[in-house]
Amino acid sequence: MSMPLRQSLRIGGYILRNKLRGREKFPLIVELEPLFACNLACAGCGKIQHPHDVLKKRMPVEQALAAIEECGAPMVSIAGGEPLMHPQIDELVKELVRRKKFVFLCTNALLIPKKLDKFTPSPYFAWAVHIDGLRERHDESVCKEGVFDEAVAAVKECKRRGFRVTTNTTIFNTDTPQTVIDVMNYLNDDLRVDEMMISPGYAYDKAPDQDHFLGVQETRELFRKAFGDGNRKRWRFNHSPLFLDFLEGKVDFPCTAWAIPSYSLFGWQRPCYLMSDGYAQTYQELLDETDWDSYGRGRDSRCANCMAHCGYEPTAVFSTLGSLKESLRAVRSV
């Protein structure tokens, strides 16, 4: 299964309107980072490597809203750092939902018990809880014991209160098809989250652990095996069918990172949230002054092993809408 029908129809209509207006590049979802500080120090993340004075900063709500309004994206993924450490995070979410943006609040879930009363269930809002594996695997990934159990308890409470809950799972070369199957089965069948997102990790420069990222062929083989035996069809993924094909190596796509841009305390990050080749002050400047043809596998050595959703999920979405067969396939999976 893929994204909810309401969301699918909105995104489909948005893409078609932009195509009819002749726009070649436009955003589908913004990776909004209103802070870099976090209450964990995960081995595969480099966000907390920023200097202390940067980690203390919090983006004003007005600045974040202005960036979203300027670019016009229908979806916003609020990340960080840990966004629940932002003192006005509930106000930011409320304002985005009021504008009928689809909001995913990415969190390790440790602060959900303290913050949950500040949020209201909405078809435009979902928690996106980071869970990289079952208890031992996840706690090892986040470098702290007990986090898995706290995250699971927070997911259950969110579900009990009527919130939509998604999960985000990053896969490394320490994973096997069976570890992927185990965590997906647990999230899908036992925890019963609404949808799941999954992506291979990317070895970007600031990540402390550079030894456990997957290569392209490793990624394809792992997902091909994990998705076998009907698993892919019964798992509730928040991905397009073509992106899952891409992970398995059934199709290949060029990178379209401009469709999932990153906006942080420094501005619009060039070219994506995993690489930092400078910043633009507006989304239009990001589009106009970035040499997009120089990025992607086969063009930039840093992109050689990247199969992350920020570059390839939007390409899969565009390809879906460009094909009647794939559009019907996507509709059937909703």
Side-chain angles (χ1 to χ4, degrees), residues 33 36 46-55 206 266 279:
E33 297 178 314
F36 294 125
K47 296 297 181 179
I48 63 169
Q49 304 303 314
H50 289 288
H52 183 66
D53 62 322
V54 174
L55 294 179
K206 288 183 177 293
F266 299 137
Y279 296 86

Side-chain angles (χ1 to χ4, degrees), residues 245-293:
D245 286 350
F246 169 75
L247 291 180
E248 289 192 66
K250 293 179 178 178
V251 296
D252 202 8
F253 293 122
C255 174
T256 51
W258 42 264
I260 305 187
S262 172
Y263 184 75
S264 72
L265 293 164
F266 299 137
W268 294 96
Q269 189 167 327
R270 187 179 287 120
C272 66
Y273 85 102
L274 293 171
M275 294 170 63
S276 183
D277 286 358
Y279 296 86
Q281 294 307 302
T282 66
Y283 178 70
Q284 192 60 48
E285 180 186 331
L286 176 75
L287 291 184
D288 295 342
E289 300 185 11
T290 303
D291 183 7
W292 298 103
D293 290 338

Side-chain angles (χ1 to χ4, degrees), residues 11-251:
I11 302 310
Y14 166 81
I15 293 173
L16 289 175
R17 287 192 300 274
N18 277 279
K19 292 290 187 180
L20 290 173
R21 291 169 185 165
R23 295 187 67 188
E24 294 184 0
K25 294 182 175 65
F26 50 89
L28 293 182
I29 182 170
V30 173
E31 295 278 356
L32 178 64
E33 297 178 314
L35 79 173
F36 294 125
C38 190
N39 51 354
L40 289 176
C42 304
C45 177
K47 296 297 181 179
I48 63 169
Q49 304 303 314
H50 289 288
H52 183 66
D53 62 322
V54 174
L55 294 179
K56 290 170 60 178
K57 293 181 179 180
R58 306 291 183 263
M59 184 184 295
V61 170
E62 295 77 13
Q63 180 183 341
L65 293 174
I68 302 303
E69 292 286 355
E70 184 250 327
C71 75
M75 296 184 288
V76 182
S77 174
I78 306 178
E82 171 51 60
L84 287 178
M85 292 176 65
H86 194 294
Q88 294 175 290
I89 189 62
D90 56 312
E91 181 183 340
L92 175 57
V93 168
K94 181 179 179 180
E95 287 299 317
L96 289 170
V97 167
R98 188 172 67 83
R99 290 163 170 79
K100 294 189 176 181
K101 304 292 184 181
F102 291 98
V103 180
F104 298 85
L105 200 160
C106 304
T107 176
N108 57 42
L110 295 183
L111 292 176
I112 284 181
K114 295 180 179 179
K115 302 283 188 175
L116 191 55
D117 289 340
K118 295 178 178 289
F119 297 86
T120 303
S122 166
Y124 292 97
F125 175 69
W127 298 98
V129 179
H130 176 204
I131 297 183
D132 278 349
L134 297 182
R135 182 179 291 105
E136 182 178 350
R137 170 72 181 83
H138 181 70
D139 287 354
E140 178 184 14
S141 175
V142 301
C143 304
K144 185 176 180 180
E145 291 185 4
V147 175
F148 176 83
D149 289 336
E150 291 190 52
V152 167
V155 167
K156 290 179 178 179
E157 181 60 16
C158 288
K159 292 286 292 179
R160 188 186 72 81
R161 296 202 193 185
F163 287 93
R164 180 182 169 205
V165 181
T166 67
T167 54
N168 185 20
T169 300
T170 306
I171 304 302
F172 299 92
N173 68 7
T174 49
D175 284 297
T176 66
Q178 191 58 50
T179 64
V180 174
I181 290 169
D182 289 344
V183 69
M184 292 293 107
N185 279 343
Y186 177 76
L187 297 173
N188 192 83
D189 303 335
D190 299 320
L191 203 52
R192 299 193 62 80
V193 300
D194 292 277
E195 291 94 27
M196 303 175 293
M197 293 175 282
I198 190 168
S199 184
Y202 170 75
Y204 61 106
D205 292 342
K206 288 183 177 293
D209 181 358
Q210 293 287 318
D211 298 326
H212 294 116
F213 292 96
L214 289 158
V216 171
Q217 291 306 122
E218 291 177 292
T219 296
R220 290 170 174 167
E221 182 178 355
L222 188 150
F223 282 105
R224 193 179 301 121
K225 292 179 179 178
F227 287 166
D229 297 325
N231 288 328
R232 174 177 154 175
K233 289 184 178 180
R234 65 183 186 82
W235 289 336
R236 294 183 296 278
F237 279 123
N238 191 13
H239 290 297
S240 64
L242 274 179
F243 180 70
L244 299 178
D245 286 350
F246 169 75
L247 291 180
E248 289 192 66
K250 293 179 178 178
V251 296

